[in-house]
Amino acid sequence: MEKTINLKFKGVGEFLVKMPNVGQFMEIENLKIALTNGQYGDMVRQQTKLSNMNLDVVDTISNFRVLIPEFKDLAKIKNFSDMDMFEAKKLSVVYKKQFAPWLNEIINELQTYGEDDDE
């Protein structure tokens, strides 16, 4: 399991991202709730095309704002919420293709109980 990943954003650059620490994991989850006005779980249950697309954007923004704080300035984004949806889609593609598989591997490892774990 890799604890860092090098994300490549067309037209912006590359960023070395480290595995989130406890505080960052909490901040990411809190940001998801804040960006959806407490409706994140409801949006997950909706399973509509639009809610799924918006969840991708929320997940992208939440993770990148916390783990790559300099990204917003380098990408010349004034406010993530006011961003054009086609620009948000470009970010979500990087999130889904590069970032999510890496993060999911970490989360899966954290959720397993192996011989090395204390009882």
Side-chain angles (χ1 to χ4, degrees), residues 16-19 23 25-26 28 37 39 49 56 64-65 68 73 78 80 82 85 97 101 109-110 115 117-118:
L16 183 65
V17 180
K18 295 179 184 176
M19 181 180 104
F25 269 122
M26 289 182 194
I28 290 165
N37 295 317
Q39 301 301 308
K49 287 182 182 182
D56 287 342
F64 291 171
R65 268 182 60 180
I68 317 170
D73 292 333
K78 291 182 181 180
F80 279 112
D82 293 334
M85 279 302 291
K97 287 188 174 183
E109 180 68 24
L110 291 170
E115 294 175 6
D117 297 329
D118 291 333

Side-chain angles (χ1 to χ4, degrees), residues 102-113:
W102 171 76
L103 184 63
N104 288 335
E105 182 180 350
I106 291 170
I107 292 169
N108 288 339
E109 180 68 24
L110 291 170
Q111 291 179 329
T112 60
Y113 300 99

Side-chain angles (χ1 to χ4, degrees), residues 89-102:
K89 177 185 174 187
K90 290 177 189 177
L91 292 182
S92 292
V93 168
V94 172
Y95 175 85
K96 290 180 355 183
K97 287 188 174 183
Q98 295 180 47
F99 183 82
W102 171 76

